[in-house]
Structure formats: structure tokens, C-alpha cells
Amino acid sequence: MSNAFKHDFSEKFSAGLSRIKKRKLPKLSAPSPRWYPVLGALAGFLFILLFIGGAGQDARARMTVPHEEWLNAVHPAVSTALRIRNEQLHSGDHAVAALQRLGFGKSESHRMVATANEKYQLKNVRAGQVFKRVDSDNGIDFYYNVDAEKRLHLHQQKGQTDWQAKIEPRKIYSRQRISSGTIEGSLFGAAERAGMDQRTTMNLVDIFAWDIDFARDMRSGDTFKVIYEERYDDNGKTLESNILAAQFVNQGKTYQAVRYEQADGKVSYFTPDGKSMRKAYLKAPVKFSRISSRFHLKRKHPILGYTRAHRGVDYAAPSGTPIHAIGDGYIAFKGWKGGYGRFILIRHNNRQHSTAYAHMRRYARGIKKGMHVKQGQIIGYVGMSGLATGPHLHFEFRSRGRAVNPLTVKHPPAKPVAKSELPRFLQQTAPLLGQLKQQQTGLVWS
Ligand SMILES: [Zn+2]
């Protein structure tokens, strides 16, 4: 108990110390959740710009239309005789009203709803969803996405009055994009300027999480380049985004990763020479935070003159920020521990290492003593329980029971690509790595 108090006293004044000594650390903050809808809308808007504009902002974006029978192709290049209209449903909306806004007459709209009822009750429509009307030489088509896989399709043949309804698989498109940017202030800002959605940015952070501590290592001037595949539906909504290859230049050091499916079907990211990007431990337990106090076993305070140890690293982050287990292991302790407040100790699988997480606001749901946790799993949330002057995570890395500096400890990588598979790996990933290399600007060879 007294140790814990001592610990936190040291924490208080070393936080002050780090403020005095603070180097130029870039501001790196995830946007607060209240901005998510705005960012989402913005990303959507950007996407629509790209979609409608074809080449748009990223001239290298390739659009792939699936090779399948497509009764009423909506690809602008193939059909000029098409007229497409979308109508978004608002809350309290009625199918008939929305159909009328699409230009159908009242009795026509009622007929359509009645026909649709054989397959899908249009009175179940949800706000935010879209009614789509496509006019062509062939007649009129009406589409409504029922769920992630299926859509309702109504068709009226040219010159006829009756409608046919069917439920069919939704059209999913995919395209490959390349985004690149330079960090000035925040990664999210730079990624947004590059036209990347938040999901892709988070994926990028996850790929390099073993090598780059995005809280500590990031600098203005760092660059990134990402090749990713987006899958989106016929309303232009992104369903999935997978990074195929990525590069991050951090403080002059280049990190590259490629996605590869191994013979056993497992998909993971590797370095260009086939080493795993994964390591036994993540570089930091909190994404997007700021280090407010570093590890020092004995240091004389330059002003106050006395010596205190700080056996961990403090990550200052907003209260409620998720805390991730940095490696696989089991919960050896969970509970209140004096000045540490809400505290979790994880003993890792090699039995030599353990990690400690303190001052939590709360534990993640379902976390119990003795249970196994996976690397990256959320175990709790940043808070200031126990003795802490502000919300932060006090994090310790212990080797055979002794605290070591989490920021300098070296972690061995996970299993590389199997030797027998290496030729296939190199062959498959070469084009992507070639693309990463291309259009590298700012390099002058003389
Ligand atoms: Zn601390």
C-alpha cells in the first residue's frame, strides 16, 4: 500500500517534470466520438464525389465491376439511356410517400407496395435506407436493400402496367485505391485529407501496432502510403475495407507490410521478406495517447532534489479510452490495489513476463481473474481511480517479476512465412510492393 502511494506521488511530480522537459511531441488525438457522425458523413460525401466523378480525387483508384449478368447496368460508361433516382427514407416515412417522391403516381405506388408484399413488406422500411428507381428502354426497375445480402427488385416491363417482384442478391462492387499523406499534427487529419475512411486508418494503425507506438513515435513529417480494397454496395456505402499493402515512414525509418493468405488459409501481414508483422507484445496498450511520464528506476529531481523511481510508463488519454492487453496471457489479478486503483495484472504465456495496468475507470465486460486474454483484447478503460491527478494509464512490463522499461524492451516476432511458401509469397506480393515504391516523391538522386 505504501509503495503504491509512493509510486503515485512520484508520478505526480514526474508528470510535472515531463512537462518541463517535453520535447516537441505532435498532437495526436483520435476524434472524439461526437464527431463520428460528422466524419462518417464527410467520408460518405468524399466517397460519393469519387464515385460520381469517376477518377475524382485519386486518379489511381480503379473501379472493378463484377463480371456478372447485370440486367440494368448502372455503370455510367455503358448506359446513357438510364435514368437513376434515389430517395432516402426519413423517420416516420411511408413507402407510398417515398415512391411518390420518386415520381410514381399514388395508385401506382400502392400497386407496387401490394406486389412487393408477396416477397417483402415494404411497410418495414427503415429510415436512412434508400429507394432506387432506374428507368431504361426496358422499363422501370425499383430496388430496396432488405439486408446486407439481399435486395427487393420490382420490375415493370415497358408498355405494361403490372409489376414483378423478386428477392435477389445485392450487387457488391470492389475497387482498389491508393492513398498517401504526410502527417502534420494528427494521423487522422492526414488520412482524411488523403481520402481514407476511419476504418482504413484504424486498420493501418493496427498493422504497425507492433513496431510503431502511435502515441510516442509519431512525428510531423512522417509519411504513409496505403493500398487497399474497398467493397461497397449499390448505394455507394462502404461495406468493408482491406489493406493490401502499406508503408509508414516514421522518423526516417521505413516500415512496410503486405497482406498474404498462407496455404492454411490464415491471412496476416508480413514484411516484404516474409517476417511476421506480429510480435509477442504490442508496442503500447493504448492507441492515440500521449506519454506523460516515462520509466526511470532512479532519478534525482533537478529542482526538488530527491530521488523517486517510476517503474512504468504513463499514457495520458481521455477517460474511457480502451486499454488493450499487449500480449496473450491470463488475468492473474483483477481488483483494487491501493494507489493503483482498479488494477489488472496479466501473466503472459511464456511465464516470464507480466504486464500491469492501473488507474482504470472500469474493467471491460466479462474480464475475470484466471481467464485467458488475447493480444489486443480490451481489458478495461482509462480512468483515474486510486491516486492519480488526471486520467491516464500507468503501465508496467515485468520480466521475472522485475520492472523493465516497456519502451525499450525488444520483442521477438511471430512465425514468418513458411520456407516452402516463400517463393509463392514473394511472387504474390511483388506487384503490391512495386506499387508502394512507385510515385515516391521528394527523393532526388544526383
Ligand atoms: Zn505511473
Side-chain angles (χ1 to χ4, degrees):
M1 179 75 97
S2 66
N3 265 343
F5 275 81
K6 231 191 293 182
H7 152 82
D8 264 88
F9 177 67
S10 77
E11 212 165 277
K12 264 177 222 163
F13 80 68
S14 54
L17 181 69
S18 70
R19 225 171 285 133
I20 299 161
K21 289 191 50 177
K22 200 161 80 182
R23 280 183 293 154
K24 223 183 96 194
L25 280 173
K27 200 172 63 199
L28 183 79
S29 55
S32 88
R34 71 195 166 95
W35 287 104
Y36 286 175
V38 182
L39 288 171
L42 200 65
F45 177 65
L46 277 173
F47 177 79
I48 287 161
L49 271 183
L50 277 165
F51 189 57
I52 293 169
Q57 168 189 25
D58 186 348
R60 284 171 302 276
R62 274 207 318 261
M63 192 179 286
T64 346
V65 178
H67 301 275
E68 55 182 298
E69 189 240 354
W70 175 234
L71 183 65
N72 292 285
V74 289
H75 204 273
V78 242
S79 50
T80 45
L82 286 183
R83 238 180 107 230
I84 302 160
R85 289 164 74 182
N86 287 329
E87 187 60 43
Q88 194 166 34
L89 300 156
H90 46 77
S91 69
D93 214 350
H94 291 287
V96 169
L99 286 168
Q100 284 180 275
R101 294 203 297 277
L102 275 175
F104 295 109
K106 195 170 182 186
S107 55
E108 181 90 82
S109 302
H110 279 289
R111 269 210 308 282
M112 289 171 76
V113 172
T115 309
N117 275 350
E118 300 159 14
K119 305 288 179 190
Y120 183 79
Q121 304 264 317
L122 270 179
K123 64 166 193 256
N124 295 335
V125 293
R126 295 181 305 268
Q129 294 284 76
V130 173
F131 275 8
K132 176 184 247 166
R133 172 182 177 160
V134 181
D135 291 79
S136 70
D137 297 341
N138 203 24
I140 304 174
D141 292 277
F142 165 84
Y143 302 98
Y144 175 75
N145 290 332
V146 170
D147 57 30
E149 278 113 44
K150 296 188 296 291
R151 68 178 182 183
L152 169 71
H153 179 185
L154 296 179
H155 179 70
Q156 186 186 53
Q157 197 66 30
K158 187 106 183 164
Q160 301 195 0
T161 52
D162 60 324
W163 289 85
Q164 282 111 43
K166 63 175 169 181
I167 295 288
E168 62 187 17
R170 277 172 66 174
K171 305 289 176 191
I172 305 297
Y173 303 88
S174 75
R175 64 171 177 175
Q176 197 176 304
R177 296 188 59 194
I178 300 182
S179 294
S180 56
T182 302
I183 287 144
E184 297 156 23
S186 95
L187 171 63
F188 272 90
E192 209 186 309
R193 282 194 299 278
M196 276 160 70
D197 61 323
Q198 278 213 342
R199 187 171 359 196
T200 310
T201 311
M202 291 306 284
N203 291 346
L204 176 70
V205 167
D206 287 343
I207 289 170
F208 292 108
W210 289 274
D211 292 301
I212 302 168
D213 173 350
F214 282 84
R216 180 177 80 107
D217 300 336
M218 196 88 98
R219 296 290 181 273
S220 283
D222 282 359
T223 61
F224 62 86
K225 191 183 295 172
V226 191
I227 304 173
Y228 53 110
E229 189 189 54
E230 278 180 341
R231 283 159 53 78
Y232 55 95
D233 67 14
D234 40 4
N235 294 326
K237 185 171 166 246
T238 306
L239 305 170
E240 202 185 357
S241 162
N242 279 313
I243 293 180
L244 306 174
Q247 174 174 290
F248 205 101
V249 181
N250 175 234
Q251 301 183 50
K253 191 169 177 198
T254 302
Y255 299 89
Q256 287 184 326
V258 277
R259 180 187 160 95
Y260 175 68
E261 186 180 339
Q262 289 168 282
D264 60 7
K266 273 198 198 127
V267 177
S268 26
Y269 291 91
F270 296 93
T271 64
D273 56 352
K275 290 195 187 76
S276 178
M277 294 300 289
R278 296 183 68 97
K279 293 182 180 65
Y281 304 107
L282 292 171
K283 246 199 145 187
V286 185
K287 293 174 192 169
F288 313 114
S289 55
R290 172 179 68 80
I291 288 185
S292 54
S293 181
R294 285 158 193 277
F295 179 90
H296 38 87
L297 284 176
K298 266 190 179 164
R299 185 167 61 175
K300 209 170 185 187
H301 192 285
I303 301 160
L304 300 174
Y306 45 102
T307 306
R308 290 275 190 251
H310 185 232
R311 294 177 192 281
V313 169
D314 290 346
Y315 291 90
S319 188
T321 303
I323 299 167
H324 304 265
I326 67 158
D328 294 352
Y330 72 93
I331 306 284
F333 181 91
K334 175 205 159 194
W336 191 274
K337 205 171 164 128
Y340 280 120
R342 283 184 197 91
F343 180 85
I344 281 180
L345 183 76
I346 297 176
R347 203 163 307 279
H348 295 290
N349 290 346
N350 64 2
R351 297 179 174 276
Q352 292 176 16
H353 297 154
S354 53
T355 48
Y357 310 77
H359 304 310
M360 291 184 187
R361 182 163 95 176
R362 63 181 180 89
Y363 307 108
R365 202 162 294 144
I367 292 291
K368 287 185 189 70
K369 191 185 168 189
M371 77 180 279
H372 283 268
V373 286
K374 284 264 169 226
Q375 183 175 56
Q377 188 176 334
I378 296 173
I379 53 168
Y381 300 89
V382 170
M384 48 186 294
S385 59
L387 284 174
T389 47
H392 75 280
L393 170 70
H394 171 84
F395 172 68
E396 290 181 22
F397 190 99
R398 297 170 187 171
S399 181
R400 296 175 199 273
R402 280 185 44 207
V404 295
N405 186 350
L407 300 179
T408 55
V409 64
K410 291 268 180 287
H411 305 310
K415 269 207 313 210
V417 172
K419 263 218 176 77
S420 57
E421 252 188 81
L422 207 52
R424 180 171 162 254
F425 168 81
L426 293 172
Q427 192 201 347
Q428 262 187 34
T429 57
L432 288 168
L433 290 164
Q435 270 179 284
L436 276 187
K437 242 178 239 156
Q438 271 169 29
Q439 32 121 12
Q440 246 174 32
T441 49
L443 283 178
V444 181
W445 303 97
S446 54

